[in-house]
Amino acid sequence: MPLTPIPVITIDGPTASGKGTVAHLVAVRLGFHYLDSGALYRLTALSAMRKHVEPNDEHGLAKAAAGLNCHFKGEHVFLSNEDVTAAIRAEAVGKFASCIATLPTVRQALYALQLGFRSPPGLVADGRDMGTVIFPRATLKVFLTATAEARAERRFKQLIGKGMSATLHDLQKDLNERDERDASRIIAPLRPAEDAHLLETSNMTAEDAVAQVLAWYAAARKREDAHPAAK
Ligand code: DC
């Protein structure tokens, strides 16, 4: 009997486009595993920052990525058994993560780790290059967008809700800088895969976005069942 490939749904998009929320809800709805690939870059950044590795020390950063001792439990993220769920969300860590994500050796060091998240019954993976580089043969690829204003406002509400301080102006500036860096890097830049479905979420609730992704997934499965060799 032919082996049925483990289905993967990739959800890529810029910072604060809502991909984390949507990907997590889709995974829950389907009973699939969930990969927050941005968390791996953030974990690498946090680990490197704590070891005082300089942002230009490519060898030291690749070593931090390759030696990452992390695990996920529900919505919690652990670095060497320490719960760093909140620590990796700090803006400084996100900024450092975006910088080190430009380095090919860091991306290479995290490649196999990301592939390892694909296990039965399926995976929802969110990030910047899930559909273009890590899972190019995914069953469904989605690319989320939202205006810079909508994204800054979302991030602002998230941070304030967590009791962190932030200003809309600073967030917008940081977001624009990060978009620019993520989209202009030479390796695995932020861009939709050719066969990705685009979803503009500025005026959409998370529930609406989830419903759309689930509908696309049902259609993709139907197509795969009809033409099993297509992917
Ligand atoms: O999604 P996030 O904001 O948690 O990601 C943090 C940084 O990690 C982001 O600015 C760019 C980088 N990243 C990446 O380069 N590739 C991914 N697949 C995920 C994140």
Side-chain angles (χ1 to χ4, degrees):
M1 213 161 77
L3 281 178
T4 312
I6 301 164
V8 178
I9 299 175
T10 60
I11 302 189
D12 290 304
T15 303
S17 56
K19 59 190 176 351
T21 308
V22 173
H24 176 71
L25 286 171
V26 169
V28 168
R29 222 47 79 71
L30 294 170
F32 281 11
H33 299 281
Y34 168 52
L35 165 62
D36 170 5
S37 63
L40 300 179
Y41 288 90
R42 287 172 181 269
L43 283 162
T44 304
L46 182 66
S47 168
M49 285 162 94
R50 286 181 170 178
K51 289 177 185 150
H52 305 289
V53 179
E54 295 294 327
N56 59 359
D57 176 3
E58 186 160 357
H59 178 71
L61 292 165
K63 219 170 125 190
L68 210 54
N69 176 12
C70 66
H71 68 274
F72 294 78
K73 208 172 187 181
E75 297 195 8
H76 287 256
V77 187
F78 295 83
L79 183 63
S80 306
N81 292 327
E82 177 196 343
D83 189 336
V84 292
T85 314
I88 61 163
R89 295 292 146 202
E91 286 303 297
V93 176
K95 215 171 185 169
F96 199 90
S98 166
C99 291
I100 66 172
T102 60
L103 302 172
T105 45
V106 169
R107 304 199 73 85
Q108 188 56 40
L110 294 177
Y111 179 71
L113 184 60
Q114 294 174 85
L115 292 187
F117 279 79
R118 184 181 193 178
S119 63
L123 176 70
V124 182
D126 98 50
R128 305 291 191 289
D129 62 342
M130 297 296 98
T132 49
V133 177
I134 310 294
F135 300 109
R137 294 169 66 81
T139 309
L140 171 69
K141 299 177 187 177
V142 178
F143 193 87
L144 293 191
T145 57
T147 61
E149 291 75 24
R151 292 186 289 125
E153 206 145 306
R154 274 181 203 161
R155 178 53 61 88
F156 181 72
K157 283 186 187 151
Q158 258 174 14
L159 291 175
I160 299 298
K162 284 181 190 160
M164 293 164 145
S165 66
T167 72
L168 207 50
H169 175 265
D170 288 350
L171 283 176
Q172 190 136 10
K173 185 167 163 279
D174 179 58
L175 204 124
N176 287 337
E177 280 171 14
R178 209 179 305 174
D179 282 356
E180 173 63 23
R181 197 160 40 229
D182 291 346
S184 64
R185 67 180 176 224
I186 291 167
I187 181 157
L190 171 68
R191 63 172 174 80
E194 269 175 25
D195 51 349
H197 293 262
L198 302 185
L199 191 57
E200 192 354 292
T201 66
S202 301
N203 298 310
M204 249 187 182
T205 63
E207 258 323 306
D208 289 342
V210 169
Q212 178 62 80
V213 174
L214 289 173
W216 278 333
Y217 179 63
R221 283 307 294 254
K222 230 184 220 168
R223 270 198 306 275
E224 267 192 3
D225 288 346
H227 307 282
K231 281 266 175 185

